[in-house]
Amino acid sequence: MTCDKRILTPFALIFVFLFSCSKPTQSQTEFDLLITNAKIVDGTGSEAFSGNILIDDGIIQKVGAFDTDTIQAVQTIDANGRVVSSGFIDTHSHGNPIETPRFDNFLSMGVTTISLGQDGNSPATENLSEWMDQVDSIGTGPNILHFMGHGTLRRLTNTPQQPILADANLEAMVGLMNNAMQAGSFGLTTGLEYESGRYATMPELVALAESVANHNGLVMSHVRSEDDTEIEDSIRELIEQGKKSGANIQASHIKVVYANNPTRAEAVLQLMNEAREKGIQITADVYPYTASFTGIGIVFPHWVTPANFNEVKESRRTELEEYLRNRIAMRNGPEATLFGTAPWAGMTLAEVADSLNKPFEDVLIDDIGPTGASAAYFVMNEEVMKRFLQDPHVMVSSDGSPTMRHPRGYGSFAKIIDNYVNTESVLTLEEAIHKMTGLPAEILGLSDSNQVEIPRGLLHEGFAADLLIFTPQNINDTADFENPHQYAEGFDWVFVNGEPVIEEGERNEIRPAGIIRKISK
């Protein structure tokens, strides 16, 4: 209805004046949130600028130096010069949104979107839409992205643990992969160093990646080996998968185990640069710690599996003992393996061996086995990690969870600001925030309105209001290996879809998010 009175009767004129030409209703003039006097870091990597941000219905309506005198808002926050950025996006996360839907560990370090289904393992369901609906019905603290695990595909299709597959097995896996992409999954993950993934051959990897490419998704890989002597071949295998399938690819939690010189990172980055020059879209993510965390099976040889372990103990015991002695020695000795699961949580392999009065290799064989524990392994070099961090095609991840006994699940993103911006100046604040917002959003497709219903990851008009307000100097990653489940500090406000989940530094119980579904081509 307009205010054109030329064709209206006298009675209609009165009606229109009262209901259309009077002062607009509250819903037309009052916005949900106005943030003023902000130091805006928009996620593009550009220099910070001063301005205001207007939000309504979970969407950023306006960003910049606009007049706020005439704006009415339900809530106004004076940032008073504090940084306002997009919420951080974790490209490699772990956890169960049905069991721990709030994910306070992520929210407390500024993460508003997490990516689940990593390292080849995702929820074991053939009806992914039903699982997504269940998560939505519960509600979550951060937004959730789903990736389909390669190992899960093998298990759901009863594919045998062997490299040569029947056509029916591969067709069944590809069918489930297609269904997952159509349901809104963001892509495929592989864990080629683990039990199911180690049997995958290139034809299998390419066939599944082609499904991902057809839906404009992403393949993320825990590559076949991260050891110093094998990392280049592992990256080449990932590049070959991307080349033959046409899929965009990402090396998960990139590292070089045992390397002590940043030139090793340079060699790996050069391989990736050469691939990009040939048109292959390859990126990587990294977490800011020098210890990894995974199952103890990582130290056992490939010829030991859960199925044959007892047989190997009997028939190849001496060979296995020698292998474990050498393997642990290469990984900086038994003092560098810190258990994160009961009954030895918080003890090193050396301490457990001392307590049991036996050699550590016997502890691994007789008391633990290849599936009996998880641990942190201090096998990386910080200078190598920092070189990866500085590369423009490498983003930040946590590889963490609410329950994992490793500080990365509670501290990674805060540590980037605390250590590598504030203390060491490895990155500028704008560079760091780009690696935690705009870059992952671009690679995942989150900032593209053709791929998601509401774009996010940048402080731009029309983008989802996933926001942080903080003073960089106040950010503190408090978690360590002795106390890994301590929340990060310093994020004054954290908003997810326009709703505050942390208010003036205090966590609440609100769950304003759920599954983000990728738009299928």
Side-chain angles (χ1 to χ4, degrees):
M1 188 177 291
T2 71
C3 293
D4 188 346
K5 308 176 184 64
R6 290 173 295 178
I7 59 172
L8 300 179
T9 64
F11 177 82
L13 282 170
I14 296 172
F15 180 88
V16 169
F17 179 81
L18 289 175
F19 292 96
S20 258
C21 301
S22 58
K23 181 179 178 180
T25 62
Q26 183 184 36
S27 63
Q28 292 173 304
T29 63
E30 191 170 66
F31 295 87
D32 291 335
L33 175 63
L34 174 64
I35 302 172
T36 62
N37 301 313
K39 180 181 179 180
I40 297 172
V41 182
D42 67 4
T44 63
S46 300
E47 187 175 349
F49 59 93
S50 298
N52 312 303
I53 302 167
L54 187 63
I55 296 161
D56 197 58
D57 197 25
I59 305 295
I60 299 171
Q61 305 294 323
K62 206 168 187 180
V63 179
F66 56 86
D67 182 16
T68 63
D69 291 343
T70 60
I71 293 176
Q72 299 180 44
V74 175
Q75 182 179 19
T76 298
I77 298 174
D78 184 353
N80 196 26
R82 288 176 290 180
V83 168
V84 178
S85 77
S86 287
F88 302 148
I89 298 167
D90 190 350
T91 57
H92 192 103
S93 330
H94 297 277
N96 187 330
I98 295 172
E99 294 180 357
T100 58
R102 256 288 291 199
F103 287 111
D104 278 314
N105 63 306
F106 292 114
L107 296 175
S108 294
M109 58 176 167
V111 173
T112 57
T113 301
I114 62 176
S115 308
L116 300 179
Q118 299 296 332
D119 301 318
N121 290 300
S122 57
T125 175
E126 295 187 32
N127 191 336
L128 184 56
S129 293
E130 185 177 272
W131 179 85
M132 290 179 167
D133 290 342
Q134 183 183 6
V135 174
D136 284 343
S137 70
I138 294 170
T140 59
N143 305 296
I144 309 293
L145 311 183
H146 173 276
F147 280 81
M148 193 72 206
H150 164 250
T152 300
L153 288 173
R154 271 181 160 253
R155 289 187 289 275
L156 287 174
T157 56
N158 295 315
T159 297
Q161 300 285 53
Q162 61 189 38
I164 306 302
L165 302 181
D167 290 344
N169 288 125
L170 188 55
E171 290 169 4
M173 284 194 284
V174 171
L176 287 181
M177 190 70 241
N178 282 327
N179 292 344
M181 297 304 295
Q182 290 165 2
S185 183
F186 277 72
L188 171 74
T189 72
T190 63
L192 302 185
E193 200 167 18
Y194 299 131
E195 174 62 15
S196 292
R198 69 177 58 167
Y199 301 104
T201 61
M202 187 57 65
E204 178 182 346
L205 295 173
V206 169
L208 293 171
E210 284 176 340
S211 171
V212 176
N214 290 338
H215 294 88
N216 204 23
L218 177 67
V219 174
M220 294 205 281
S221 180
H222 177 134
V223 296
R224 200 168 293 273
S225 175
E226 298 169 326
D227 290 358
D228 190 15
T229 56
E230 300 178 55
I231 183 64
E232 280 104 338
D233 285 343
S234 296
I235 294 296
R236 288 188 185 98
E237 180 183 35
L238 177 59
I239 291 170
E240 187 73 4
Q241 183 185 15
K243 177 182 177 180
K244 290 185 174 180
S245 67
N248 294 342
I249 49 178
Q250 176 148 319
S252 295
H253 44 63
I254 194 165
K255 64 177 72 73
V256 186
V257 175
Y258 321 136
N260 292 311
N261 192 312
T263 58
R264 295 298 295 121
E266 296 284 359
V268 174
L269 292 170
Q270 182 59 32
L271 279 177
M272 296 169 65
N273 288 335
E274 291 170 358
R276 279 188 291 271
E277 289 171 358
K278 297 175 182 176
I280 300 166
Q281 178 60 55
I282 180 170
T283 49
D285 57 75
V286 66
Y287 55 79
Y289 294 88
T290 57
S292 61
F293 189 96
T294 192
I296 197 68
I298 201 79
V299 305
F300 282 79
H302 285 177
W303 39 269
V304 170
T305 68
N308 74 3
F309 177 56
N310 287 331
E311 177 186 342
V312 169
K313 281 172 62 176
E314 296 297 324
S315 62
R316 302 174 68 177
R317 172 89 186 205
T318 301
E319 184 181 1
L320 179 57
E321 288 173 351
E322 182 179 4
Y323 179 94
L324 291 171
R325 280 193 297 270
N326 293 335
R327 177 78 165 162
I328 294 297
M330 287 179 61
R331 298 173 73 87
N332 296 328
E335 297 81 9
T337 296
L338 179 66
F339 289 108
T341 47
W344 299 294
M347 298 175 66
T348 67
L349 176 57
E351 290 170 334
V352 173
D354 286 344
S355 71
L356 297 177
N357 195 28
K358 61 170 66 173
F360 68 79
E361 62 270 25
D362 288 344
V363 171
L364 290 170
I365 295 171
D366 297 324
D367 300 283
I368 297 176
T371 61
S374 292
Y377 309 89
F378 293 83
V379 292
M380 287 117 73
N381 175 275
E382 186 176 21
E383 295 305 313
V384 175
M385 180 276 292
K386 287 193 290 188
R387 179 61 191 92
F388 281 128
L389 179 62
Q390 291 174 306
D391 187 84
H393 300 283
V394 176
M395 62 208 72
V396 176
S397 67
S398 75
D399 194 12
S401 80
T403 56
M404 179 187 298
R405 194 174 171 84
H406 191 300
R408 68 193 186 193
Y410 284 69
S412 288
F413 288 78
K415 186 174 183 180
I416 292 294
I417 296 174
D418 191 9
N419 279 34
Y420 301 112
V421 174
N422 293 343
T423 303
E424 298 188 29
S425 300
V426 173
L427 301 170
T428 66
L429 181 64
E430 290 86 350
E431 287 171 337
I433 288 177
H434 174 61
K435 286 177 173 291
M436 299 188 286
T437 59
L439 178 58
E442 177 187 357
I443 297 306
L444 291 164
L446 286 175
S447 54
D448 183 353
S449 59
N450 292 316
Q451 298 191 50
V452 289
E453 183 179 359
I454 302 171
R456 66 191 69 226
L458 298 172
L459 282 189
H460 287 178
E461 294 176 11
F463 275 55
D466 297 342
L467 303 174
L468 310 176
I469 304 176
F470 64 97
T471 300
Q473 291 72 25
N474 292 344
I475 301 300
N476 183 19
D477 59 304
T478 65
D480 55 28
F481 285 95
E482 186 174 344
N483 298 290
H485 294 166
Q486 297 186 112
Y487 293 119
E489 298 173 346
F491 291 99
D492 300 322
W493 290 86
V494 177
F495 293 88
V496 178
N497 298 315
E499 296 287 334
V501 292
I502 293 179
E503 307 172 75
E504 295 290 6
E506 297 295 325
R507 291 177 294 277
N508 57 35
E509 298 299 323
I510 296 173
R511 300 199 296 263
I515 301 289
I516 296 176
R517 291 161 176 79
K518 186 177 180 65
I519 296 172
S520 177
K521 285 186 4 180

